[in-house]
Amino acid sequence: MNTSERTRNRSSAQSETDCAACPSNRRCWGEALPAETVHARREPPLERGARLLEQGSSAALYIVSSGCLVLRVSQPDGAQRVVGLRLPGELVGLESYAHGKQMYTAQAASPSTVCRLHLPALGEGATRGGLLERLLLKSAAQPDRASAPWAGLPAVERVAAFIENYSQRAHLPAREDPFKLPLTRADIGSYLGLAPETVVRALGHLSQAQRLAVRGRTVRLGGPTR
Amino acid sequence: MNTSERTRNRSSAQSETDCAACPSNRRCWGEALPAETVHARREPPLERGARLLEQGSSAALYIVSSGCLVLRVSQPDGAQRVVGLRLPGELVGLESYAHGKQMYTAQAASPSTVCRLHLPALGEGATRGGLLERLLLKSAAQPDRASAPWAGLPAVERVAAFIENYSQRAHLPAREDPFKLPLTRADIGSYLGLAPETVVRALGHLSQAQRLAVRGRTVRLGGPTR
DNA sequence: CGGCCACTTGAAAACCTTCAACCTATGTGG
DNA sequence: CCACATAGGTTGAAGGTTTTCAAGTGGCCG
């Protein structure tokens, strides 16, 4: 339903708001966000397990405001693989504007909220900039851009790198704070290319080596080194 | 030395030209490129082994015009890993605009030419669009965006997937044409997280299974299925 | 020629997966 | 409130794959 797209029906649109007025805009866009730069529409909250995007569906772009989304692709053989995570401030669905349709399914791994970004006719005419510019920055900063940094590492190191990476992307108050991984061991394994059991054992090793403390899905980085 | 360019539009001091006037602009930007949309400066050709970018150096953005660049990161332990390839039409260095400095070293794997793209003050002021819009599309389409699609596959399948992916990104006249992989087995292994010997053996298996024909670095996709 | 580098091959060791069983929480219905 | 079902998690042992180590080949260039 993009009948009235050119007209800026800002008042008539439901919750189309200026990101500058959003209390959590720093999480999304960084320091200061000038007014009238980015507009977004807050979507209804997603409960755990809810799907935001279906692989193959039409192009749409979201920015994660809170929670965590898991990106999955279903492979020719029917298996599903986790190909990425999206944490607050990260984009979901950008690829769809290059490929015409969504490249993955996005599912909430924990209760999440997202805002939909409306791209001004991406693919043709001119634009005012601002938004595009920021998107470009975002896109460039997007995780898993340069191929898996953990490729070739032993399982224990892969898991360690994953958790380290997660904890840096999650906006934690302090590095020592415990946090909760919203993924199952199976999902972590799928993402890292490891069997779930291997993830369990790797966590065990890391725990024993004092490199982190694990209790269920709660993790705390720790240890003398690093 | 490309002073022999027939630029009707000699506006800039350097060899800054309108991509629309470049004979190979389709390779870079797709179908039709309207005039005055993207300007670039063709750089001197890179011979095999020459470095375009050094990890940690200052932000700069290039688009590959011909050849192939290998992206490497040097890791804390001193080891170097291949994290990506860039083929004609693909961007090199975009990430540097998000991180402030180059995230990887880019080295020509075969004789290559690149053009430098001048980003109009990315990070602040407004822009005319066009460029940014296209960059965004590019960026979204960029390979290795969603985490390694080969993670978890057995070595043979990883190598097969890599070659398949390469042959699709290289602009080959026909799918059956033989082509030359510009990488050593060690580089392929580094990229896929495999030992060089494993790459050798995997290629052997694929060859024996008629899935491709390998002779040195020359490869031809083949076989009845796929 | 000699050196170097990429590539290749074989065998043993290390690692990871698989399979199977069991455990622990959580939620549901009786 | 308990019994049960379910999903995620954990553990052990066997088997397969990959890495490592070692040795050898072939091409290219000073």
Side-chain angles (χ1 to χ4, degrees), chain A residues 157-170 172 175 179 181 211-212 219 221 226:
Chain A
E157 297 309 322
R158 282 196 219 184
V159 173
F162 168 76
I163 294 190
E164 174 72 22
N165 179 264
Y166 180 95
S167 79
Q168 286 178 359
R169 286 161 60 189
L172 299 176
R175 191 179 146 72
F179 56 94
L181 282 176
R211 292 175 59 182
L212 38 74
V219 175
L221 300 177
R226 70 191 307 193

Side-chain angles (χ1 to χ4, degrees), chain A residues 81 95 123 133 139 144-145 148, chain B residues 81 95 123 139 144-145 148:
Chain A
R81 283 210 337 106
E95 298 83 355
E133 181 177 4
S139 164
D144 44 48
R145 157 158 294 278
Chain B
R81 283 210 338 107
E95 299 81 356
S139 163
D144 45 48
R145 158 157 290 280

Side-chain angles (χ1 to χ4, degrees), chain B residues 154-156 159 189 193-205:
Chain B
V156 174
V159 173
L194 298 172
E197 297 92 331
T198 308
V199 176
V200 170
R201 289 186 246 258
L203 287 173
H205 288 151

